[in-house]
Amino acid sequence: MEKLYIEPDRCKGCGYCVRACNKEALYFTGNVNQKGYDTVAVDDEKCNCCTACYRMCPDYVFEIR
């Protein structure tokens, strides 16, 4: 089964992925990365690896394996 992985240091907190997720599986963590941006995390229970976030992200934050 595929799983979504996030590289938080690449995230710039734009929120495109959060808005694109129909399952509401992505959320802002409140944690700040090295660049000073609030990062996102995934709720594995809600995520079905539809790739909507992957396709929307301009910074290649997501990996599906």
Side-chain angles (χ1 to χ4, degrees):
M1 179 178 214
E2 293 180 325
K3 185 175 176 181
L4 183 69
Y5 294 89
I6 297 174
E7 179 55 53
D9 289 333
R10 292 183 182 170
C11 186
K12 67 179 179 192
C14 66
Y16 292 152
C17 58
V18 175
R19 289 189 294 276
C21 183
N22 292 329
K23 298 292 183 182
E24 297 180 357
L26 297 174
Y27 57 93
F28 285 102
T29 63
N31 296 326
V32 177
N33 66 12
Q34 295 175 2
K35 296 177 185 175
Y37 298 113
D38 188 0
T39 59
V40 296
V42 62
D43 181 339
D44 291 326
E45 296 293 318
K46 293 180 180 179
C47 181
N48 66 355
C49 288
C50 70
T51 72
C53 58
Y54 178 85
R55 290 179 279 137
M56 286 300 288
C57 183
D59 297 306
Y60 306 103
V61 171
F62 301 98
E63 184 177 328
I64 299 170
R65 339 182 209 148

